[in-house]
Amino acid sequence: MKRRDGVEDVRAMGQEIVFTGKGRVELQHFDQEPLGQTEVRGRTVVSLISPGTELAWLNDGNYPLRPGYAAIFKAEELGASVRGVAKGDLLLCMGGHRSIQCFDEKYTIKVPPNLPAAQAVIARLMGVSMTTLMTTMARPGDIVLICGAGPVGYLAAHQFAHCGYDVTVIEPDVSRQEQMRSSGIQKVLSAVPVGDAAYDGKVALVVDCSGHEKAVLDGCKVVRKKG
């Protein structure tokens, strides 16, 4: 869209990825609504892909569907009542794959000045297992099994290890096993250790980040009572 002076007004119309049907992806335009009193709007710097979740949506969803997990955007327009954000700030939000983000100030988190946007957006994946960390009855020192060493599992393993838990990662892929060990997590197994006296009935928590039914079922065989 062009302003009267001929300059493109990127705030008036944006572009976004839309799943329009099974296996069908389109880049579509969308119009901007008037900015709310407490809203912040600006250009997207980077958006986060969650492959497992979004591929599942692409193959079985309530179409049209607008995917996305998280994004970092630059604050360019501020609502009249916005107080905690300044123009130019980089903000983390639960935004989709779109060129422009618009969120209420309370649903954004300011990115620290020295943290690259492509790294900061990964905090969204850390939040997945953070919920478990906040609600589990397992305590530091207890044995925790993390099934799956993809991005979510990798971060979960380090979150629990950082908090003092005895972490073992279950991952059949050899390359991912090596990545995990090189990152500092030394207890890495190719399968849930069913029948191993060191684990049977002693595991306080099993966190499945793999999406595989067998990992969940085997995890139930080694978890302790009330685990």
Side-chain angles (χ1 to χ4, degrees), residues 60-81:
D60 184 15
N62 184 19
Y63 309 111
L65 192 154
R66 291 163 175 79
Y69 225 63
I72 304 290
F73 72 102
K74 187 175 184 178
E76 295 174 329
E77 295 180 86
L78 308 178
S81 299

Side-chain angles (χ1 to χ4, degrees), residues 180-199:
M180 189 60 73
R181 291 191 183 99
S182 65
S183 74
I185 305 294
Q186 297 304 313
K187 294 182 180 179
V188 184
L189 305 175
S190 59
V192 176
V194 178
D196 188 328
Y199 291 92

Side-chain angles (χ1 to χ4, degrees), residues 163-225:
C163 292
Y165 290 85
D166 183 358
V167 174
T168 296
V169 174
I170 311 301
E171 174 55 60
D173 184 84
V174 175
S175 62
R176 285 186 171 181
Q177 290 177 11
E178 290 307 312
Q179 288 175 350
M180 189 60 73
R181 291 191 183 99
S182 65
S183 74
I185 305 294
Q186 297 304 313
K187 294 182 180 179
V188 184
L189 305 175
S190 59
V192 176
V194 178
D196 188 328
Y199 291 92
D200 274 357
K202 298 177 182 178
V203 176
L205 174 69
V206 179
V207 183
D208 181 58
C209 304
S210 69
H212 292 287
E213 184 179 89
K214 190 175 189 306
V216 176
L217 296 175
D218 285 348
C220 291
K221 296 176 183 178
V222 298
V223 75
R224 72 187 185 190
K225 290 184 178 180

Side-chain angles (χ1 to χ4, degrees), residues 126-140 144 155-156 158-165 205 207:
M126 296 177 67
V128 176
S129 54
M130 182 63 74
T131 305
T132 304
L133 186 58
M134 293 168 62
T135 58
T136 182
M137 296 192 60
R139 292 295 176 260
V144 174
L155 293 168
H158 282 280
Q159 285 172 266
F160 278 91
H162 182 72
C163 292
Y165 290 85
L205 174 69
V207 183

Side-chain angles (χ1 to χ4, degrees), residues 13 24 29 50 55 74-75 89 100 107 113-114 119-120 124-126 129-130 138 144 146 160 167 186 198 206 211 217:
M13 180 175 288
R24 293 178 56 193
H29 290 281
S50 179
L55 285 173
K74 187 175 184 178
D89 286 345
I100 301 168
Y107 296 125
N114 298 322
Q119 294 180 20
R124 171 68 179 91
L125 296 181
M126 296 177 67
S129 54
M130 182 63 74
V144 174
I146 308 292
F160 278 91
V167 174
Q186 297 304 313
V206 179
L217 296 175

